[in-house]
């Protein structure tokens, strides 16, 4: 029954909207019981809101004092009756939208059909209809759109896709350089670690990325941070010969990604021929090579950069935008320039399976890239749940600890069947 005893007005009002998947098929009685239990609980907590159920998924709005709502939400996330809990909105509000419902229930489509008359009392029907009308009369556009997206949205396709086609290898062994090769490289000014980008659909390696390390294992930031200007660009370019030599000694036959400061390509007139010579010397076909640059660096000196890119493309190399979404040019960059590959930054990927706004952003990126013929890679994927979400959203090229950490002077082993560590 609607609860008309309003909790006293509170400061620091907050609302949280999430959707989740029912862990198992429920009968209408169970859904109705759940909303009654929730209503009792919420009454004591001063929480109001709405539960929308379509027979398979829930959309729930919780309004109340911030700490109370957050604590309650933490409990819901642990509740085995909810699977795939995804946060859509969590923010302060001025006033409650659903003040009269400790937990209004809206049953949609199949869920509504499932509620046979004899199991739903007149009171309950009334209650359902009132909650639904309340929803349509809302003057909150944000929630109306979220509600519409819940009932019609494409997120419904986010169900893990069927398993990948069968492939011969379920895993690949690690490959390390023999001691003799390491000895021959002792005087190198830099070394390279390799990390695979895994094609999760075909279950194979799509490419390896070469990541620079200092002679004492220094990180790229530390190593490159010691240099400036021309010396930095020269080092960035010339160190690639060591990367290519190491890759050749490891017997790498796949695609290879090399990171570049665009300055290394634009400030050095001989950059392109130098790189092509290094490739020829180490036996790599230019078509095997992907250059990775970040968007920030592209927009600072676009003209010479595009000139260098034309030359590289003519020679058959490909180009990837690295760290996309880390906050530089954004989608507008793609209006003027289309890379072959776009790597979505780890800051967007982390926790994607629980984060509605990040999911919406990744879907938009996937859609844009699909229409422009750009290959999408997700970087920094650590958790199996992130992997599952990305796959279902159509991102099948994955780089991250979930498959392998970079291995110094080696190609890491990969198990294509991911399991939790
Ligand atoms: P990047 O190109 O975005 O490379 C990916 C970085 O993320 C690598 O860090 C890698 O170790 C790390 N990473 C990969 N998977 C995961 C994961 O699942 N979780 C976490 N937390 N991290 C992950 P690394 O090797 O320290 O490189 C940092 C950056 O340094 C690179 O970022 C790249 O921008 C730059 N860099 C590396 N090698 C070179 C190079 O030869 N030249 C230039 N100019 N920059 C380089
Ligand atoms: Mn990179
Ligand atoms: Mn990156």
């Amino acid at each position: 029954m609607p609860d008309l005893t309003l909790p006293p007005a509170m400061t620091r009002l907050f609302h949280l909207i999430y959707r989740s998947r029912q862990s198992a098929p429920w009968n209408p009685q169970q859904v109705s019981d759940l909303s009654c239990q929730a209503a009792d609980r919420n009454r004591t907590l001063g929480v109001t809101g709405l539960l929308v159920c379509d027979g398979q998924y829930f959309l729930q709005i919780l309004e109340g004092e911030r700490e109370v709502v957050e604590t309650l939400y933490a409990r819901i996330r642990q509740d085995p009756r909810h699977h795939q809990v995804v946060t859509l909105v969590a923010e302060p509000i001025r006033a409650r939208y659903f003040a009269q419902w400790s937990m209004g229930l809206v049953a949609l489509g199949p869920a509504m059909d499932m509620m046979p008359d004899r199991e739903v009392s007149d009171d309950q029907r009334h209650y359902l209809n009132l909650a639904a009308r309340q929803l349509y009369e809302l003057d909150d556009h944000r929630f109306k759109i979220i509600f519409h997206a819940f009932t019609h949205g494409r997120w419904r396709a986010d169900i893990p896709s069927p398993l990948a086609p069968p492939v011969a290898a379920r895993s690949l062994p690690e490959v390390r350089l023999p001691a003799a090769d390491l000895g021959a490289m002792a005087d190198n000014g830099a070394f390279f670690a390799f990390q695979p980008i895994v094609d999760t659909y075909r279950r194979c390696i799509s490419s390896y990325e070469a990541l620079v390390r200092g002679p004492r294992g220094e990180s790229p930031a530390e190593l490159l941070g010691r240099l400036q200007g021309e010396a930095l660009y020269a080092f960035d370019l010339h160190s690639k010969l060591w990367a290519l030599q190491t890759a050749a000694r490891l017997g790498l036959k796949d695609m290879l990604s090399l990171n570049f400061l665009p300055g290394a390509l634009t400030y050095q007139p001989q950059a392109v021929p130098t790189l092509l010579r290094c490739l020829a010397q180490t036996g790599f076909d230019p078509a095997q090579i992907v250059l990775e640059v970040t968007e920030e660096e592209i927009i600072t000196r676009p003209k010479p950069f595009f000139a260098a890119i034309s030359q590289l493309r003519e020679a058959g190399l490909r180009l990837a935008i690295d760290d996309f979404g880390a906050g530089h040019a954004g989608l507008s960059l793609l209006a003027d320039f289309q890379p072959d590959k776009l790597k979505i930054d780890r800051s967007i990927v982390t926790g994607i399976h629980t984060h509605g706004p990040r999911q919406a952003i990744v879907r938009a990126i996937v859609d844009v890239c699909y229409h422009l013929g750009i290959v999408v890679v997700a970087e920094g994927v650590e958790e199996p749940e992130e992997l599952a979400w990305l796959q279902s959203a159509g991102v099948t090229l994955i780089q991250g600890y979930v498959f392998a950490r970079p291995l110094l002077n080696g190609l890491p082993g990969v198990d294509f069947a991911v399991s939790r560590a």
Side-chain angles (χ1 to χ4, degrees):
M1 286 299 292
D3 170 41
L4 298 171
T5 55
L6 275 179
M10 272 183 287
T11 51
R12 309 202 59 219
L13 267 182
F14 190 80
H15 73 175
L16 196 145
I17 306 176
Y18 73 90
R19 69 166 189 259
S20 67
R21 193 177 177 140
Q22 293 175 206
S23 52
W26 292 16
N27 67 39
Q29 194 57 49
Q30 287 171 303
V31 174
S32 162
D33 288 351
L34 175 81
S35 81
C36 290
Q37 279 168 21
D40 288 344
R41 176 197 65 200
N42 291 355
R43 215 167 285 127
T44 59
L45 293 174
V47 170
T48 52
L50 201 64
L51 178 70
V52 184
C53 171
D54 70 354
Q56 199 178 8
Y57 291 94
F58 292 120
L59 177 74
Q60 189 168 22
I61 306 131
L62 300 166
E63 309 168 325
E65 215 226 320
R66 182 172 191 145
E67 282 73 25
V68 174
V69 168
E70 282 175 346
T71 310
L72 177 57
Y73 185 49
R75 254 172 50 200
I76 291 170
R77 299 178 72 101
Q78 302 294 322
D79 186 332
R81 293 174 298 186
H82 295 273
H83 275 181
Q84 301 174 5
V85 180
V86 173
T87 314
L88 296 172
V89 176
E91 65 190 5
I93 43 170
R94 194 170 64 133
R96 291 169 189 262
Y97 295 113
F98 301 98
Q100 56 270 67
W101 309 107
S102 352
M103 192 50 29
L105 176 66
V106 178
L108 296 168
M112 185 61 125
D113 299 342
M114 268 169 25
M115 301 236 174
D117 283 339
R118 61 189 145 73
E119 283 188 38
V120 182
S121 67
D122 276 354
D123 273 353
Q124 256 172 326
R125 272 254 180 253
H126 183 61
Y127 175 78
L128 289 173
N129 292 342
L130 266 182
R133 201 165 70 218
Q134 166 95 6
L135 200 62
Y136 284 112
E137 284 170 0
L138 264 186
D139 65 350
D140 178 59
H141 287 284
R142 178 134 186 212
F143 184 73
K144 268 194 209 161
I145 294 168
I146 286 178
F147 180 71
H148 190 267
F150 176 77
T151 51
H152 299 88
R154 266 192 303 158
W155 65 272
R156 275 162 193 286
D158 292 358
I159 295 160
S161 44
L163 271 183
V167 282
R170 283 185 63 82
S171 63
L172 285 178
E174 185 178 282
V175 182
R176 282 178 190 263
L177 281 187
D181 281 336
L182 283 177
M185 290 163 46
D187 294 331
N188 284 8
F191 297 87
F192 283 84
F194 295 85
Q195 186 182 28
I197 297 168
V198 173
D199 182 329
T200 59
Y201 187 66
R202 295 195 182 79
R203 291 208 192 165
C204 61
I205 300 293
S206 154
S207 56
Y208 288 91
E209 178 170 10
L211 297 157
V212 75
R213 298 288 180 265
R216 280 167 296 282
E218 297 96 317
S219 69
E222 199 180 341
L223 185 68
L224 301 173
R226 290 178 192 155
L227 302 167
Q228 276 184 332
E230 280 180 26
L232 172 62
Y233 298 137
F235 178 85
D236 202 24
L237 178 61
H238 294 288
S239 64
K240 295 304 174 311
L241 179 60
W242 295 319
L244 292 165
Q245 284 170 339
T246 311
R249 284 180 165 141
L250 288 166
L252 189 148
K253 297 276 180 289
D254 309 271
M255 301 279 292
L256 177 63
S257 288
L258 302 171
N259 291 282
F260 271 92
L261 296 165
L265 303 170
T266 55
Y267 282 97
Q268 305 179 99
Q270 290 306 305
V272 175
T274 304
L275 186 59
L276 294 177
R277 218 171 37 243
C278 292
L279 292 174
Q281 210 178 315
T282 47
F284 281 94
D285 178 351
Q288 260 178 289
I289 305 298
V290 181
L291 303 186
E292 295 193 3
V293 294
T294 65
E295 34 173 353
E296 183 191 23
E297 294 155 337
I298 298 172
I299 49 177
T300 45
R301 284 184 90 231
K303 265 211 170 130
F305 177 77
F306 292 137
I309 289 311
S310 299
Q311 284 184 49
L312 290 164
R313 279 202 167 141
E314 276 163 27
L317 288 96
R318 294 174 216 201
L319 196 88
I321 292 188
D322 206 348
D323 302 345
F324 192 79
H328 310 294
L331 289 172
S332 67
L333 179 72
L334 300 179
D336 304 316
F337 164 68
Q338 294 83 42
D340 301 280
K341 206 184 233 190
L342 188 147
K343 298 181 78 177
I344 302 177
D345 193 59
R346 181 162 69 94
S347 58
I348 298 182
V349 163
T350 302
I352 185 110
H353 58 293
T354 65
H355 202 290
R358 287 186 194 151
Q359 293 180 355
I361 291 166
V362 169
R363 269 198 215 95
I365 294 175
V366 169
D367 199 42
V368 168
C369 288
Y370 173 64
H371 289 285
L372 296 175
I374 299 170
V375 172
V376 179
V377 178
E379 292 191 297
V381 183
E382 296 186 352
E383 304 297 334
E385 292 84 357
E386 294 164 352
L387 173 68
W389 189 88
L390 288 161
Q391 283 176 303
S392 68
V395 182
T396 52
L397 298 182
I398 303 288
Q399 180 174 9
Y401 295 172
V402 74
F403 284 111
R405 293 182 179 242
L407 181 66
L408 183 63
N409 297 316
L411 306 178
V414 175
D415 190 348
F416 295 112
V418 164
S419 56
R420 183 173 282 291

